[in-house]
């Protein structure tokens, strides 16, 4: 079998005239192979460039979408942070109002001598921030604050009334000035001096001379000295149109203008003035008129 003759491509290089002509030959199949490989490389590179371009474009699109979503999420987060901050401020505001409400309630309880309960029985939660059912949006917060303010105003009104009532209770002459035997009650009686009857404007309490005489209620001393018929007398103005009189004392221990509390010692008992024996004449006057002291005095002597 005849061998196939290889074909070659002759290439001649003609230099300057002083040099020899150079020639070499390249196998045509080799040229074809190189051309095919080069074409394949070029095609592969072109395909790679096209793929890379599309991939790059896609990635840029994805990144742009991600950036947009991140921007949206950031905006949502900022809005949520603002809402959370608003809710927290509202919750803090409600908490402060409730704290003030608690302080007012505690003040009322102290005024009337009641202890603080372990749990609240009020309509408003004492720990509203821990109540998961309460939303602190602006509308709910405004409603809560309105309720708290109404109850606060009610407690403030109650405090004023309680304070006035306590002042009245502390002022009225409800305590015995001395403890002894009541020898002469309020009203008409036979004269202790042996003739006729007379009106007795107070009660007489028999005690030894020198027994401490105490104020029957809170007030201000308006008289401290000798008073005809009463001997050494003390008069205390309790307010509310009420006065108390303490007569026949052996010694006076207070001065006009002095403030006294219930139970303060104001004198020592005696037998001065129009008296038949050692005792304290105790008298209560309302708007200047004597009334039965027993209406004010606590039961039991």
């Amino acid at each position: 079998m005849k061998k196939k003759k290889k074909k070659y491509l002759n290439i001649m290089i003609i230099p300057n005239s002083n040099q020899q002509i150079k020639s070499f030959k390249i196998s045509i199949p080799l040229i074809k192979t190189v051309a095919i490989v080069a074409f394949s490389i070029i095609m592969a590179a072109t395909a790679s460039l096209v793929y890379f371009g599309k991939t790059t474009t896609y990635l840029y699109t994805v990144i742009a979408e991600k950036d947009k979503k991140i921007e949206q999420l950031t905006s949502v987060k900022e809005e949520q942070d603002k809402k959370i901050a608003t809710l927290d401020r509202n919750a803090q505001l409600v908490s402060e109002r409730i704290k003030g409400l608690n302080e007012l309630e505690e003040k009322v309880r102290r005024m009337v001598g009641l202890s603080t309960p372990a749990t609240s029985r009020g309509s408003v939660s004492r720990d509203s921030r821990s109540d998961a059912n309460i939303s602190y949006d602006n509308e709910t917060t405004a409603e809560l604050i309105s309720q708290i303010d109404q109850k606060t105003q009610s407690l403030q009104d109650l405090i004023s009334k309680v304070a006035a009532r306590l002042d009245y209770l502390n002022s009225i002459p409800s305590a015995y000035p001395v403890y002894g035997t009541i020898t002469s009650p309020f009203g008409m009686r036979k004269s202790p001096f042996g003739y006729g009857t007379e009106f007795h404007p107070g009660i007489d309490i028999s005690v030894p001379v020198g027994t401490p005489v105490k104020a029957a209620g809170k007030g201000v001393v308006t008289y401290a000295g000798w008073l005809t018929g009463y001997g050494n007398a003390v008069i205390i103005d309790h307010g509310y149109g009420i006065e108390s009189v303490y007569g026949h004392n052996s010694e006076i221990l207070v001065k006009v203008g002095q403030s006294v509390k219930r139970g303060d010692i104001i004198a020592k008992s005696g037998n001065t003035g129009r008296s038949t024996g050692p005792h304290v004449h105790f008298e209560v006057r309302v708007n200047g008129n004597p009334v039965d002291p027993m209406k004010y005095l606590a039961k039991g002597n």
Side-chain angles (χ1 to χ4, degrees):
M1 189 174 188
K2 253 177 162 187
K3 247 182 168 190
K4 197 170 183 184
K5 191 174 180 182
K6 291 184 180 180
K7 295 181 181 181
Y8 293 92
L9 178 66
N10 288 321
I11 298 175
M12 295 181 65
I13 299 175
I14 304 174
N16 293 333
S17 58
N18 295 330
Q19 295 179 352
Q20 292 182 351
I21 295 173
K22 295 181 180 179
S23 66
F24 55 89
K25 57 183 178 179
I26 302 174
S27 172
I28 289 177
L30 178 61
I31 292 174
K32 289 181 179 180
T33 301
V34 171
I36 291 170
V37 171
F39 179 76
S40 299
I41 291 172
I42 290 170
M43 290 302 292
T46 301
S48 297
L49 287 173
V50 171
Y51 175 77
F52 179 75
K54 288 182 177 179
T55 303
T56 302
T57 302
Y58 173 74
L59 289 175
Y60 275 123
T61 303
V62 171
I63 291 171
E65 290 178 354
K66 295 285 186 186
D67 287 343
K68 187 176 180 180
K69 284 186 177 180
I70 290 172
E71 185 178 348
Q72 290 175 346
L73 289 173
T74 301
S75 177
V76 170
K77 183 179 180 301
E78 289 176 353
E79 187 65 26
Q80 287 179 339
D81 287 343
K82 289 179 182 178
K83 287 182 179 179
I84 290 171
T86 299
L87 293 177
D88 189 61
R89 284 195 301 270
N90 289 343
Q92 182 65 31
L93 183 61
V94 171
S95 179
E96 290 173 357
R97 294 296 181 93
I98 290 176
K99 181 181 178 182
L101 189 62
N102 288 340
E103 290 174 352
L104 284 177
E105 183 178 345
E106 179 63 24
K107 183 176 180 180
V108 174
R109 290 182 171 278
R110 286 198 305 269
M111 290 175 73
V112 296
L114 295 176
S115 60
T116 303
T119 56
S120 171
R121 295 184 294 273
S123 60
V124 181
S125 171
R126 291 299 184 268
D127 189 11
S128 296
R129 298 191 65 174
S130 66
D131 190 346
N133 295 323
I134 293 181
S135 170
Y136 288 103
D137 57 79
N138 290 334
E139 184 178 353
T140 304
T141 299
E143 185 178 349
L144 278 172
I145 289 177
S146 177
Q147 292 176 6
I148 294 170
D149 286 347
Q150 288 176 11
K151 189 165 185 181
T152 298
Q153 185 61 50
S154 296
L155 279 175
Q156 288 174 340
D157 294 342
L158 179 60
I159 285 173
S160 298
K161 292 177 181 177
V162 169
R165 184 61 179 171
L166 289 176
D167 183 75
Y168 172 76
L169 292 175
N170 287 327
S171 298
I172 59 172
S174 60
Y176 284 85
V178 290
Y179 288 100
T181 302
I182 297 177
T183 55
S184 183
F186 172 86
M188 296 302 297
R189 67 176 183 178
K190 183 179 179 181
S191 174
F193 298 97
Y195 47 91
T197 58
E198 64 179 11
F199 176 72
H200 188 225
I203 60 174
D204 291 342
I205 306 173
S206 176
V207 289
V209 173
T211 300
V213 179
K214 299 178 180 179
K218 178 173 73 75
V220 178
V221 176
T222 56
Y223 189 89
W226 187 268
L227 188 61
T228 302
Y230 292 85
N232 290 322
V234 174
I235 300 178
I236 297 175
D237 182 2
H238 300 282
Y240 309 98
I242 303 173
E243 293 178 317
S244 58
V245 182
Y246 310 79
H248 308 306
N249 301 293
S250 61
E251 184 179 356
I252 295 174
L253 304 176
V254 291
K255 297 179 180 179
V256 172
Q258 182 175 336
S259 295
V260 294
K261 301 189 299 294
R262 180 180 290 124
D264 285 352
I265 298 174
I266 58 173
K268 290 184 179 180
S269 66
N271 189 30
T272 59
R274 188 170 180 265
S275 172
T276 58
H279 71 281
V280 173
H281 173 82
F282 179 60
E283 188 174 319
V284 175
R285 298 172 181 173
V286 177
N287 298 322
N289 300 311
V291 297
D292 189 353
M294 301 305 294
K295 293 180 180 180
Y296 290 91
L297 292 174
K299 292 182 179 179
N301 182 12

